[in-house]
Structures are given as structure tokens and as C-alpha cells.
């Protein structure tokens, strides 16, 4: 992403930025492609010419603005406040950030977004798409329902229908806040559809099967059950005498019918004997989210999956 200069403010100036109405902060030696990626990919916005004429070497980007309470006779608002903006000069490689007015601050601080972008250029809206429930309490930043949590806005069916429609889709993907809400709603709608699958049988797939679908599924009655034996060559635990197996369940032996821990983070969830844990199911998600059991080589455990209650438990054999 080019050479990053130190932020041109001291610790004292950083503190002032939170208390002053608005502040300008400059960075130098930034190439145009980096600024374009920041504005168009990370912020899901557009750079527009800031100077006169089509050959202008200056570009700008604005976070959504807010307005005062009073309007002029013309119908325009008497005061408009910036939510944060940047201006970039191609000739000098200088970008100038203007922070939001103190009393009009939104969820986003454009300078902090820049700092985050330098650390990890993965757009926030992509993170929302992967794990929407982590953003349930995130608040809508502008426009209709401004200030309401994403989880609350999602319940407004007609509004979400419009957002995901052919008419609403292009309008909801041209600013960071709206793009995040769009991806949030689309991900939840997709998951709701995926999670409706049913299965007549379930199979354990994991390290014990080399992650291949076994020929024999779990025994089925009111619940699905199967004994799982700790292998001698399974990965060792911290306690060197114990070993660890990881697994998921598949409905009808189909990788598009996964059953996995409901915990949102990637990684394994350890099953303790007698504990009842919630399970989740999906089609395009669940990769890397496994259950684990630990024991001595040859030790047996009874895996019990209640598909009606969507819970899993582990019993000692």
C-alpha cells in the first residue's frame, strides 16, 4: 500500500481532535491507487473531481452529511455538517482528512478508518457479510431509521425488501454505513433460507474419518447417536497423555447440510461429558467451526444429536 508516514499530529493534537468542532489532518507520499482502494473498496464510495475541469488532479470523498433543524424558504437546510471527508492531490501525493463536527459526529471517524485500513484493508462490509450477528447492535448512520440498531432495522420487512430489490440494491451500496446494513440484511436473509433444510440421516465427519463422509450414518431414533473412539495417532493435547478429535455433522451426507457449533467464532468448541450445547446448521457456512472431544487413546464417547431441539451432547461410554 505504499510508504506510510506517521500521522501528522502529536498525542496532544489527537486529543484535541475529539474536542474541536472539526480538524484537518494531512498525510504525504500517498499514491493514487491506495486512495482509490480506500474510498471505493474499503468505504464503498466514489472519488469525485475536487477541482475545476475534467483534467483536475484533485479528488474528494465525503461520508454522509447531516443537517441542522431549520430550513430556508428555498427548502434547503440552513446548516449542513460534514460527517468527515478527504481531499487528495495527485501531483503532491497529499491527502487531507477533515474530521466531523463534534456535535455532528457519526459512528465513523474517517481518520480512524484510514488507520484501520492501513492495518487491515479488509472492508468492514465484508466482515459484516461473514458474521452479521456480530453487528446486531451496530447503529444505522444516516437516512431513514438513523440511530436504530441493525437488528431493529432488519425487522422492518418492507424496508429490507426494498434494500435487497433491484431498485434499492445500487442505492444501498454506495456508502459505508448503508453497505454494511445491506450486507447484514442480505446475509441474514440468505441464512434464513439456508437453515430451512431437513435431513433423514446424520453422519459424523471429522479427523476420525479424515474428513470424509462415512458409509454408515449415525443411528437414528428420536435422536442421532454414534460412539466415537479417540485414535492413538490423533493430535496431542496440552496434557501429553490425552488426544483430541474434531468433527461436524452432515445431514444426508451432504456438505451443503452442515451442523456445527452455534458459537460465531471460528475454531473448535470442546464438548464436556454431560454438557448440552446448541448447534447451528447452514449450507455455505460453518467451515472451521467444529466440536472437539479430548481423552486417552482408545477412550469412547457417545455423541448424541437432538435434531428437533438442535442440540448436541457427549456421554461417557
Amino acid at each position: 500500500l505504499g510508504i506510510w508516514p506517521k500521522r501528522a499530529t502529536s498525542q496532544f493534537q489527537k486529543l484535541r481532535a475529539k474536542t474541536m468542532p472539526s480538524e484537518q489532518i494531512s498525510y504525504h507520499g500517498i499514491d493514487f491507487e491506495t486512495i482509490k482502494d480506500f474510498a471505493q473498496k474499503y468505504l464503498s464510495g466514489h472519488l469525485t473531481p475536487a477541482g475545476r475541469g475534467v483534467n483536475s488532479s484533485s479528488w474528494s470523498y465525503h461520508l454522509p452529511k447531516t443537517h441542522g433543524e431549520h430550513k430556508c424558504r428555498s427548502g434547503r437546510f440552513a446548516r449542513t455538517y460534514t460527517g468527515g471527508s478527504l481531499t487528495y492531490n495527485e501531483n503532491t501525493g497529499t491527502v487531507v482528512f477533515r474530521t466531523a463536527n463534534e456535535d455532528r459526529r457519526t459512528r465513523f471517524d474517517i481518520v480512524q478508518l484510514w488507520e484501520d485500513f492501513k492495518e487491515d484493508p479488509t472492508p468492514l462490509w465484508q466482515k459484516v457479510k461473514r458474521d452479521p450477528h456480530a453487528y446486531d447492535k451496530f447503529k444505522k448512520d444516516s437516512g431513514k431509521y438513523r440511530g436504530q440498531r441493525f437488528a431493529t432495522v432488519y425487522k422492518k420487512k418492507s424496508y429490507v425488501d426494498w434494500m435487497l430489490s433491484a431498485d434499492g440494491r445500487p442505492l444501498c451500496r454506495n456508502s459505508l454505513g448503508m453497505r454494511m446494513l445491506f450486507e447484514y440484511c442480505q446475509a441474514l436473509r440468505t441464512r434464513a433460507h439456508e437453515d430451512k433444510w431437513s435431513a433423514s440421516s446424520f453422519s459424523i465427519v471429522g479427523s476420525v474419518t479424515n474428513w470424509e463422509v462415512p458409509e454408515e450414518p449415525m443411528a437414528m431414533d428420536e435422536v442421532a447417536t454414534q460412539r466415537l473412539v479417540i485414535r492413538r495417532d490423533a493430535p496431542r493435547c496440552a496434557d501429553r497423555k490425552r488426544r483430541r478429535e474434531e468433527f461436524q455433522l452432515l445431514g444426508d451426507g451432504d456438505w451443503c447440510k452442515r451442523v456445527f457449533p452455534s458459537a460465531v467464532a471460528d475454531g473448535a468448541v470442546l464438548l464436556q461429558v454431560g454438557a448440552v450445547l446448541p448447534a447451528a446448521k447452514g449450507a455455505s457456512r460453518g467451515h472451521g467451526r467444529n466440536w472437539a472431544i479430548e481423552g486417552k487413546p482408545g477412550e469412547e464417547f457417545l455423541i448424541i444429536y437432538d435434531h428437533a431441539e438442535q442440540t448436541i451432547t457427549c456421554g461417557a461410554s
Side-chain angles (χ1 to χ4, degrees):
L1 297 176
I3 299 174
W4 301 110
K6 291 184 178 179
R7 182 172 172 177
T9 54
S10 65
Q11 290 297 324
F12 174 72
Q13 287 174 313
K14 290 180 182 179
L15 182 60
R16 283 184 68 239
K18 297 181 179 180
T19 58
M20 294 295 287
S22 180
E23 186 177 30
Q24 292 187 357
I25 301 171
S26 302
Y27 294 81
H28 306 282
I30 310 299
D31 63 88
F32 179 66
E33 289 301 317
T34 298
I35 290 296
K36 188 166 70 172
D37 285 346
F38 177 61
Q40 297 181 184
K41 295 180 180 179
Y42 195 80
L43 301 181
S44 194
H46 300 283
L47 287 173
T48 56
R52 296 181 179 180
V54 294
N55 297 320
S56 171
S57 60
S58 294
W59 301 85
S60 66
Y61 168 82
H62 293 266
L63 288 172
K65 301 176 181 178
T66 56
H67 305 285
E69 298 178 358
H70 303 290
K71 286 186 177 182
C72 302
R73 291 183 178 180
S74 63
R76 294 183 177 180
F77 287 95
R79 295 290 301 274
T80 299
Y81 303 87
T82 180
S85 65
L86 71 82
T87 303
Y88 176 74
N89 188 297
E90 280 190 80
N91 294 333
T92 63
T94 300
V95 58
V96 179
F97 292 101
R98 183 185 176 193
T99 61
N101 299 84
E102 174 64 27
D103 60 345
R104 295 288 168 171
R105 288 192 184 280
T106 64
R107 181 71 186 236
F108 302 109
D109 177 344
I110 194 166
V111 177
Q112 187 59 54
L113 289 170
W114 173 252
E115 297 287 355
D116 294 342
F117 169 73
K118 292 189 296 181
E119 292 292 328
D120 178 7
T122 305
L124 279 173
W125 55 266
Q126 285 189 7
K127 297 178 181 179
V128 175
K129 187 175 182 178
R130 290 199 298 261
D131 186 7
H133 284 301
Y135 295 83
D136 285 342
K137 296 182 180 180
F138 203 93
K139 293 183 179 180
K140 194 172 185 296
D141 198 51
S142 62
K144 192 173 184 180
Y145 305 125
R146 180 186 175 204
Q148 294 191 24
R149 293 178 175 181
F150 279 12
T152 301
V153 178
Y154 180 70
K155 296 177 182 178
K156 304 182 186 301
K157 185 178 181 301
S158 59
Y159 183 67
V160 175
D161 288 344
W162 170 80
M163 287 181 60
L164 303 181
S165 70
D167 292 333
R169 183 180 296 261
L171 299 176
C172 296
R173 300 174 70 182
N174 58 10
S175 70
L176 179 57
M178 284 301 296
R179 181 66 181 271
M180 290 175 68
L181 179 61
F182 172 86
E183 298 294 350
Y184 175 88
C185 293
Q186 181 168 253
L188 290 188
R189 284 279 179 94
T190 300
R191 291 187 177 190
H193 175 73
E194 289 180 346
D195 293 351
K196 290 181 180 179
W197 60 260
S198 59
S200 59
S201 67
F202 293 91
S203 302
I204 291 179
V205 291
S207 54
V208 71
T209 69
N210 198 28
W211 295 99
E212 294 180 357
V213 181
E215 293 184 4
E216 292 295 325
M218 302 173 74
M220 285 286 288
D221 193 359
E222 293 183 356
V223 295
T225 60
Q226 182 173 325
R227 297 188 183 280
L228 196 153
V229 182
I230 302 291
R231 298 170 298 141
R232 293 189 179 279
D233 59 348
R236 293 181 185 274
C237 304
D239 178 351
R240 305 293 288 177
K241 295 181 180 180
R242 297 168 65 82
R243 297 182 181 268
R244 180 184 182 96
E245 302 282 8
E246 294 189 11
F247 66 93
Q248 292 185 356
L249 306 183
L250 297 185
D252 297 327
D254 187 346
W255 281 101
C256 289
K257 296 181 179 181
R258 296 175 184 244
V259 183
F260 47 89
S262 62
V264 297
D266 290 346
V269 174
L270 184 64
L271 270 176
Q272 302 285 0
V273 173
V276 179
L277 298 181
K281 62 181 185 178
S284 61
R285 60 196 180 101
H287 180 72
R289 291 162 61 179
N290 310 322
W291 285 290
I293 56 172
E294 296 180 354
K296 296 179 179 179
E299 190 172 354
E300 292 188 5
F301 296 89
L302 181 63
I303 307 301
I304 305 169
Y305 174 59
D306 188 330
H307 47 89
E309 297 296 328
Q310 211 164 309
T311 59
I312 193 166
T313 188
C314 171
S317 179

